[in-house]
Amino acid sequence: MFQLKTIWSGCLPHASYRVTDFSELNLHVTKPQLIQLRWIDLTLPFGIYSNEKLVFLYDPYARELHTEEGGILEQNHPNVSIVDFLIAHGQTFHDPDTYSLKMEDAYGLSPDSHWRQFGLPKVKAPAAFIANLLTTFGVISFQVVLYKNKLLSDIESWAKRTGSNYTVESSRKWVWPKTYKVSCDVSQQSEQAIHQLVSILDHYEEWEGVRFLIPTETGTVSLFIGGDLTQGYGYGVFQYEHPGEVVSNEI
């Protein structure tokens, strides 16, 4: 944080600024007040505006600093993945008795799983933002448990249209309602194709039950997305079996 303030203190002129994490934080400060800021959640995007023009942005998902000229500032941060960074600096997911247990049961996840939560910003176009996020994270596949035949049909149509390999497992015939677990490979898909998939899931409001899989050096991490991004209440939750190495968030 000290290094971050040193960078913007050198590139920003003396003026009044609006500081936001595109979620809860929204402050109007002078430059001396800006430099005195102490507590900022660096798992969220951090923007500095002057006269409503974005002049400085920290992007935690790509771990990059942007200036108003559109350039990316070089950083001497450790060579860690974006996912490792967010796992290390996200919050512990405090909902073990409901959502996490439900997902462990639905997808056969380990009961010894680790769950970490990170915030998502308030955005006007959630589908486009999430598609970009999934591409940035390097998602290779997804699984979803369905109860809606129409959603199953739409996902199958998308998979056939984009050439994605997929499988469908259905529950036994005497179980009611009948459920389907769809697994689909998206490793070769463009961001535009993933955006189309996200739009389908968004239309049916199936977010909290979708499991996106991300490969890392220590194993496969699952990502679940929930909340309302349009209202600033969006969040992501990582599930993994091996604790990730804690890395410094000083940039």
Side-chain angles (χ1 to χ4, degrees):
M1 185 63 203
F2 172 79
Q3 197 170 352
L4 178 61
K5 291 194 291 187
T6 301
I7 292 171
W8 78 52
S9 67
C11 70
L12 298 178
H14 282 276
S16 296
Y17 296 98
R18 181 169 72 88
V19 179
T20 179
D21 62 6
F22 305 95
S23 180
E24 297 295 326
L25 180 66
N26 189 32
L27 299 176
H28 293 268
V29 296
T30 63
K31 183 173 180 178
Q33 292 171 327
L34 174 63
I35 298 173
Q36 292 302 314
L37 289 179
R38 296 184 61 189
W39 306 111
I40 296 174
D41 183 355
L42 294 183
T43 66
L44 289 173
F46 178 76
I48 301 176
Y49 287 80
S50 178
N51 295 322
E52 290 308 309
K53 178 182 179 182
L54 184 64
V55 295
F56 188 94
L57 173 68
Y58 170 59
D59 178 358
Y61 309 117
R63 302 197 68 204
E64 294 174 343
L65 303 177
H66 299 258
T67 63
E68 62 179 326
E69 288 79 17
I72 299 177
L73 299 176
E74 293 294 329
Q75 303 173 72
N76 296 319
H77 58 66
N79 184 23
V80 297
S81 73
I82 302 165
V83 174
D84 287 336
F85 175 78
L86 290 175
I87 286 176
H89 298 290
Q91 300 174 344
T92 300
F93 185 53
H94 293 291
D95 201 6
D97 297 326
T98 53
Y99 181 79
S100 55
L101 291 181
K102 180 181 177 181
M103 293 301 103
E104 288 173 4
D105 180 66
Y107 294 105
L109 304 176
S110 170
D112 297 324
S113 292
H114 300 272
W115 294 80
R116 297 284 283 179
Q117 178 178 326
F118 63 98
L120 294 174
K122 182 177 181 179
V123 294
K124 293 182 179 179
F129 172 82
I130 293 173
N132 177 265
L133 189 68
L134 299 181
T135 303
T136 301
F137 282 177
V139 168
I140 59 170
S141 61
F142 75 92
Q143 293 181 335
V144 58
V145 176
L146 305 175
Y147 301 93
K148 304 182 181 74
N149 290 334
K150 184 63 171 67
L151 175 53
L152 173 62
S153 176
D154 286 351
I155 291 179
E156 286 184 310
S157 296
W158 174 87
K160 293 175 181 177
R161 186 170 63 253
T162 59
S164 297
N165 294 324
Y166 73 98
T167 60
V168 180
E169 302 174 39
S170 60
S171 63
R172 291 174 294 180
K173 293 183 179 179
W174 56 83
V175 175
W176 186 263
K178 192 171 185 178
T179 60
Y180 305 90
K181 184 166 76 172
V182 181
S183 302
C184 189
D185 178 11
V186 297
S187 59
Q188 304 301 316
Q189 295 305 322
S190 65
E191 184 175 330
Q192 181 180 3
I194 293 178
H195 185 199
Q196 294 170 356
L197 169 67
V198 170
S199 298
I200 293 171
L201 296 170
D202 191 41
H203 174 74
Y204 288 97
E205 298 181 345
E206 290 293 331
W207 279 123
E208 295 192 359
V210 186
R211 178 193 183 199
F212 297 99
L213 287 87
I214 306 167
T216 67
E217 292 183 359
T218 57
T220 300
V221 172
S222 298
L223 168 66
F224 300 91
I225 296 175
D228 188 342
L229 274 72
T230 61
Q231 298 299 317
Y233 303 125
Y235 58 88
V237 182
F238 288 124
Q239 174 274 335
Y240 55 100
E241 295 186 24
H242 303 289
E245 180 182 355
V246 176
V247 296
S248 173
N249 66 344
E250 293 184 1
I251 59 175

